[in-house]
């Protein structure tokens, strides 16, 4: 059985929300399936843009940590080259993408293939973004708690600053979400995601302060030390 909200509230010693895990799965499978069909033309267009900008392969896949630290494979349209500097290290993201693929990332079209992971149950529509297994493991107890819910296509950190946030701020927002997860919060995050796509990323200082205070006063509120990607 996959970890769910009940596991999370037990670990955080918080009251359970009214949202039902099983109802959430039914609703997000229906939503994910509907969106997948509706977005097929958009995914076809995205594939053409990637092919014209970067060539083959069209997809980038990587092992990530799912619920309960179970290893899952996350797929997305490729938006960057593997260009490296003289030292052999990958160049910064901005230098490895084109104007067209940067726009795909800005609109999150590159993540549309993850709808299949939502349908299969590896991911949710809403939850902490999936991270490499080693990164989550390095968070220690915080990583374990973060993995009590399935990773999502969008999440609380993504609608409260995302790339403008530090790693510590992201995990504080992620853990606040895990402890307060509910269907209504998920609906709110989905609506805020649509707003973010239109208006761009902005840090919500009020939400960030609440998340930081929550983590600060939790017994396991240690600081993570690995980069979140």
């Amino acid at each position: 059985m996959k970890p769910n909200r009940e596991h999370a509230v037990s670990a955080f010693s918080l009251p359970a929300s009214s949202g039902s895990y099983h109802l959430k799965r039914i609703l997000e499978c229906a939503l994910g399936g509907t969106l997948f069909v509706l977005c097929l033309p958009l995914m076809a267009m995205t594939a053409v843009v990637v092919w014209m900008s970067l060539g083959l392969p069209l997809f980038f896949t990587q092992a990530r940590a799912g619920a309960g630290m179970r290893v899952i494979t996350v797929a997305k349209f490729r938006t960057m080259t593997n260009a490296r500097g003289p030292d052999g290290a990958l160049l910064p993201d901005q230098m490895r993408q084109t104007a067209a693929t940067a726009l795909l990332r800005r609109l999150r079209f590159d993540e549309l293939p993850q709808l299949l992971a939502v349908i299969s149950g590896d991911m949710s529509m809403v939850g902490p973004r999936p991270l490499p297994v080693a990164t989550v493991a390095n968070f220690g107890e915080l990583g374990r708690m973060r993995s009590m819910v399935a990773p999502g296509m969008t999440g609380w950190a993504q609608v409260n600053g995302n790339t403008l946030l530090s790693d510590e701020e992201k995990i504080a927002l992620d853990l606040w979400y895990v402890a307060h997860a509910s269907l209504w919060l998920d609906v709110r995050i989905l609506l805020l995601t649509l707003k973010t796509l239109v208006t761009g990323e902005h840090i919500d200082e009020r939400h960030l302060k609440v998340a930081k205070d929550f983590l600060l006063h939790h017994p396991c509120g240690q600081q993570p030390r690995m980069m979140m990607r």
Side-chain angles (χ1 to χ4, degrees):
M1 183 173 66
K2 295 180 180 179
N4 55 35
R5 168 62 184 166
E6 286 67 34
H7 293 94
V9 296
S10 175
F12 279 91
S13 299
L14 295 173
S17 71
S18 59
S20 165
Y21 171 75
H22 297 292
L23 177 58
K24 175 180 176 177
R25 279 297 303 146
I26 293 172
L27 292 176
E28 67 185 9
C29 281
L31 178 59
T34 301
L35 287 176
F36 182 79
V37 173
L38 293 177
C39 290
L40 281 174
L42 187 56
M43 285 190 277
M45 181 198 72
T46 301
V48 170
V49 172
V50 172
W51 177 67
M52 294 181 65
S53 300
L54 303 176
L56 299 175
L58 296 178
F59 297 97
F60 168 80
T61 60
Q62 189 176 52
R64 297 290 176 101
M69 296 292 289
R70 183 172 62 91
V71 179
I72 63 174
T73 299
V74 173
K76 59 193 301 185
F77 283 108
R78 191 165 67 98
T79 56
M80 293 186 287
T81 68
N82 292 320
R84 298 176 181 271
D87 59 354
L90 287 172
L91 294 174
D93 291 356
Q94 294 80 359
M95 299 179 64
R96 295 189 292 123
Q97 55 190 329
T98 68
T101 60
L103 180 60
L104 295 179
R105 287 169 63 89
R106 159 73 175 79
L107 297 175
R108 300 188 186 179
F109 289 173
D110 60 319
E111 296 175 1
L112 290 176
Q114 293 169 25
L115 287 168
L116 287 175
V118 172
I119 297 171
S120 71
D122 284 344
M123 291 179 61
S124 292
M125 292 299 299
V126 177
R129 287 294 295 156
L131 297 176
V133 178
T135 300
V136 178
N138 197 65
F139 291 154
E141 183 65 10
L142 294 185
R144 186 187 70 81
M145 292 188 294
R146 187 183 185 277
S147 299
M148 287 181 175
V149 297
M153 290 189 65
T154 186
W156 194 230
Q158 282 60 55
V159 299
N160 281 292
N162 198 21
T163 60
L164 304 178
L165 301 168
S166 69
D167 297 335
E168 291 77 10
E169 290 170 337
K170 287 180 182 178
I171 197 169
L173 288 161
D174 286 341
L175 290 174
W176 185 92
Y177 168 80
V178 172
H180 299 84
S182 70
L183 284 175
W184 305 118
L185 179 57
D186 285 358
V187 171
R188 181 183 180 188
I189 291 173
L190 288 173
L191 293 175
L192 287 173
T193 298
L194 294 177
K195 178 183 177 182
T196 301
L197 291 176
V198 175
T199 63
E201 296 174 346
H202 303 281
I203 296 177
D204 190 311
E205 295 291 351
R206 182 172 61 88
H207 291 162
L208 185 55
K209 182 179 185 305
V210 169
K212 285 182 175 180
D213 289 345
F214 168 78
L215 186 57
L216 179 65
H217 292 94
H218 192 274
C220 295
Q222 61 192 34
Q223 294 298 317
R225 287 180 168 79
M226 283 192 70
M227 294 297 292
M228 299 174 69
R229 299 187 185 279

